Amino acid sequence: MHTQHPAPGAQHPLNIDSVRRRLPNRQISFFESITSTMHEASALAATGCPSGTAVVAEEQTSGQGRHGHSWHSEPGAGLYVSVVLRLDLSTDSLPVVTLALGLAAAEAIARVTDLHPDLRWPNDVMLGDRKTAGILVQLIDSVVIAGLGINVNHPAFPPEIASEATSLRLASGRPQSREDLLVALLPAIDSFCRMLVERGRQSILEQFARRSSYACGKRVCVDQPSGIVTGITAGLDPTGFLKLRADDGSESLILAGGVRPAAGPNPCS
């Protein structure tokens, strides 16, 4: 596949017409600027739009991350997309939906860029020790709204996140096609969600465990309401939550919280 890349330093507009031609059966709403693709996808879901409907934006002015955090949405540099998913699943499968979306994002990135992303439980796609994509999943009236933000051609990041974030361009040393990435991503989401529905949670949990260095045997720090817990990850439970064997020997289930690599006796102090 030969892709025309922008000149260094340039940000080319997303060619949404090209994407629509390549995904002719996909309903895609495109915005130059929007507060949040999640908000628009939720509104479309309420009107009865088909499963797989996508909302894509060049820029989000109020991009959403997990736990109320914002998502840095530089105009023309990233891929900011939300997808409406009507899945025949119980509500307690939502954590595993997040893992399935991570697998889809990692597969699309690998296919288009030849990079090999890691998956940091529960919702981060990593290149080395830096985050290149994040996932947000919400359940609204039995419909899953899945938001994905992927840093594609960002040449740099604001100082407050520069040590934690990277882009596909920075990691690969060359600009990447956002069109190719979107065309790979949406079918990958379909595929992994279909796997979840047809084959059950275990199929996704096994795939995630294979793709993620964080799922088992990694020494990490986890931010919890009671403070920071340090220990070794011990796999995923059947509902997709992270098991942690703490330094004091106790085992706990991590339902949410920022997970970071740890090293040394007091790595996260």
Side-chain angles (χ1 to χ4, degrees):
M1 181 184 297
H2 296 284
T3 303
Q4 184 116 22
H5 294 305
Q11 301 290 11
H12 281 190
L14 183 73
N15 187 342
I16 195 66
D17 291 336
S18 167
V19 173
R20 286 174 171 146
R21 283 194 300 271
R22 294 160 69 185
L23 296 173
N25 298 317
R26 180 80 54 170
Q27 183 173 316
I28 302 174
S29 296
F30 176 71
F31 297 84
E32 291 290 343
S33 182
I34 197 173
T35 54
S36 163
T37 59
M38 292 289 284
H39 292 161
E40 179 64 20
S42 299
L44 287 174
T47 69
C49 71
S51 186
T53 295
V55 178
V56 182
E58 278 284 25
E59 175 190 27
Q60 295 182 112
T61 56
S62 300
Q64 294 177 260
R66 277 169 61 91
H67 307 305
H69 296 158
S70 62
W71 181 263
H72 177 64
S73 304
E74 181 177 326
L79 195 58
Y80 317 119
V81 56
S82 292
V83 184
V84 177
L85 299 170
R86 302 183 187 277
L87 305 174
D88 185 16
L89 294 168
S90 58
T91 54
D92 60 358
S93 292
L94 207 59
V96 187
V97 175
T98 299
L99 305 184
L101 290 162
L103 287 165
E107 180 173 290
I109 290 168
R111 186 178 302 167
V112 171
T113 68
D114 291 329
L115 296 169
H116 300 286
D118 192 6
L119 294 169
R120 182 171 66 185
W121 185 93
N123 70 317
D124 294 336
V125 182
M126 311 290 291
L127 289 168
D129 61 354
R130 298 190 180 196
K131 181 173 174 176
T132 194
I135 295 153
L136 178 65
V137 174
Q138 296 177 345
L139 186 66
I140 301 175
D141 296 331
S142 77
V143 180
V144 173
I145 309 298
L148 298 96
I150 304 178
N151 301 330
V152 183
N153 286 323
H154 300 63
F157 290 90
E160 61 270 20
I161 61 171
S163 64
E164 301 173 1
T166 190
S167 68
L168 305 183
R169 175 178 178 170
L170 289 171
S172 66
R174 65 185 190 277
Q176 298 290 341
S177 166
R178 293 186 296 151
E179 293 83 1
D180 288 353
L181 188 60
L182 183 55
V183 168
L185 176 64
L186 294 177
I189 291 172
D190 292 346
S191 177
F192 280 102
C193 287
R194 186 165 53 250
M195 180 188 298
L196 174 58
V197 171
E198 295 178 355
R199 295 168 50 189
R201 298 175 189 166
Q202 192 60 31
S203 62
I204 296 298
L205 297 177
E206 290 172 358
Q207 291 255 6
F208 190 90
R210 283 198 291 269
R211 285 296 288 263
S212 171
S213 74
Y214 285 80
C216 191
K218 193 175 188 77
R219 183 167 166 78
V220 297
C221 302
V222 185
D223 296 319
Q224 294 290 277
S226 59
I228 294 173
V229 180
T230 304
I232 304 293
T233 58
L236 304 173
D237 89 329
T239 54
F241 294 119
L242 184 68
K243 294 186 285 188
L244 185 74
R245 188 172 298 115
D247 289 346
D248 64 7
S250 63
E251 288 203 8
S252 59
L253 201 58
I254 305 301
L255 305 183
V259 175
R260 292 173 285 157
N266 294 295
C268 303
S269 58

